[in-house]
Amino acid sequence: MLSLLLVVSLAARGLAATAALPASYAIWAADSAISRGQGNGLNASGAPLVSYEHGELQWALRLLYEKTGNKTYFDYIQQGVDRVVTSNGTVIGGYGFTTDYQLDPIRTGPTFLYLYNVTGQQKYKTAADKYRQQLETHPRTTQGQFWHKLRYPNQGWLDGIYMGDVFYAQYTHDFQPSNTSAWNDIQAQFTLMYQNTLQNATSPPHLLYHGYDHSHTASWASPDRGHSPEVWDRALGWYMMALVDTLDIFPTSHPGHDALLSILRTLAPRVRDAADPSSGAWWLVITQPGRTGNYFESSGTAMFVYALLKGVRRGYLHDDGVVAAAKKAYRYMTNNWVVANADGTMNWLNTVQVGSLDGNGTFEYYTSVPTDVNDLKGLAAFALSSIEYERLR
């Protein structure tokens, strides 16, 4: 039976309220992505592709497989990875290792570790080892922060925490649990990013700028710590998701666990309060609410809902209105960004294509980037947020 929310949403779009749609938005989103071949280890031309977006979807599919037992999700994960990991564990599909030194591809690493733990196949461990070896020589700032990419010297971006450090933590947990130096380093990645991007303004929202240039040479680098000028919702969303996912992995006996917990508990109520009071959603550029050209963006909103609900569920956060805020945002998402298709799939709207600090990092830049339908960065985040929302029931 359709939920009242689905019925109202469909009726508002002039669709038949009796359409045969899944009762779970998480399943609907995942099944829709699979039906379109999204996140399958291939690019649009059918060539192997290592993609952080695929890694994000695979994380959601893994959770759905564990929740439902539907092996379709596991098989899809494995098939996608097998397109970029050869039989001897070589990673193909555009992964450049020391030639590129990018953090983005490492987001597929948690899937390699998951498949190794489930199947015992050595090739997945060999592929994960390659990513771990990259971290040994990955360039850093003088403070120790990983550069986001080789082509962005001395720059740390919030995005990179999600891309690199969830894997770093999982690998350490699985194979080097007593490696105190590694746990110290993982904590440092989160802490340095937080310290160098935290807004010092006297008025809210007191959140995190998109990134910083420790060398102060980028055109956008501020005199104060070299941070970028705006708070971009998806960058902060990546960081928030990384916090709640890494806290699950980080040993509670290590002081770094409390350090990450403190950051989460500081940011979560500020994220809650930064939501638009009317819609409950978050602006693309959080530092400029209501400014002409700004809009409610779907990937960041979904990421915040996931992080806030998971944080409360896992006991990392006290509720303090966090759940109510997340539920309000979730209702906005399903009412405005989910569209039912005639073939039984759903479309996902209003995800901005990209956000980069390659340019000037201004409000005008962020708002000039187009949005996509079914952009996987947003669709996967919606699946994740739906998994957490449906746990409430």
Side-chain angles (χ1 to χ4, degrees), residues 185-326:
D185 192 25
I186 294 162
Q187 176 203 333
Q189 298 305 312
F190 280 88
T191 301
L192 286 170
M193 190 67 69
Y194 177 79
Q195 292 173 341
N196 284 292
T197 63
L198 180 65
Q199 290 182 284
N200 283 340
T202 56
S203 58
H206 299 306
L207 294 170
L208 305 184
Y209 294 108
H210 186 170
Y212 72 101
D213 176 6
H214 191 58
S215 67
H216 290 72
T217 58
S219 63
W220 44 258
S222 68
D224 170 29
R225 294 164 291 147
H227 64 71
S228 59
E230 302 289 356
V231 176
W232 179 47
D233 71 326
R234 187 158 72 223
L236 184 58
W238 291 129
Y239 188 84
M240 293 293 290
M241 291 204 302
L243 278 170
V244 295
D245 290 344
T246 303
L247 279 166
D248 282 350
I249 305 165
F250 212 106
T252 56
S253 59
H254 189 286
H257 189 276
D258 285 346
L260 268 58
L261 192 60
S262 176
I263 292 174
L264 177 65
R265 288 177 173 173
T266 299
L267 290 176
R270 298 176 182 180
V271 169
R272 174 200 64 199
D273 294 345
D276 174 68
S278 177
S279 68
W282 282 268
W283 296 93
L284 172 78
V285 182
I286 297 178
T287 27
Q288 306 265 3
R291 180 174 171 180
T292 300
N294 209 356
Y295 59 89
F296 303 139
E297 198 276 327
S298 64
S299 66
T301 295
M303 290 173 181
F304 293 145
V305 170
Y306 170 76
L308 294 176
L309 289 182
K310 180 175 180 179
V312 172
R313 177 177 62 82
R314 296 287 292 135
Y316 304 140
L317 296 173
H318 305 297
D319 189 344
D320 295 334
V322 168
V323 169

Side-chain angles (χ1 to χ4, degrees), residues 3 26 29-30 34-35 111 114 134-135 144 182 190 193 197 221 265 274 286 294 302 315 317 343 348 358 360 365 370:
S3 68
I34 290 172
S35 73
T111 311
Y114 172 67
Q134 174 181 326
L135 297 180
F190 280 88
M193 190 67 69
T197 63
R265 288 177 173 173
I286 297 178
N294 209 356
L317 296 173
D343 63 0
W348 174 253
D358 191 30
N360 57 18
Y365 159 71

Side-chain angles (χ1 to χ4, degrees), residues 132-146:
R132 182 62 181 85
Q133 290 162 15
Q134 174 181 326
L135 297 180
E136 288 297 314
T137 56
H138 196 98
R140 299 170 179 253
T141 68
T142 57
Q143 291 180 310
Q145 185 90 67
F146 290 132

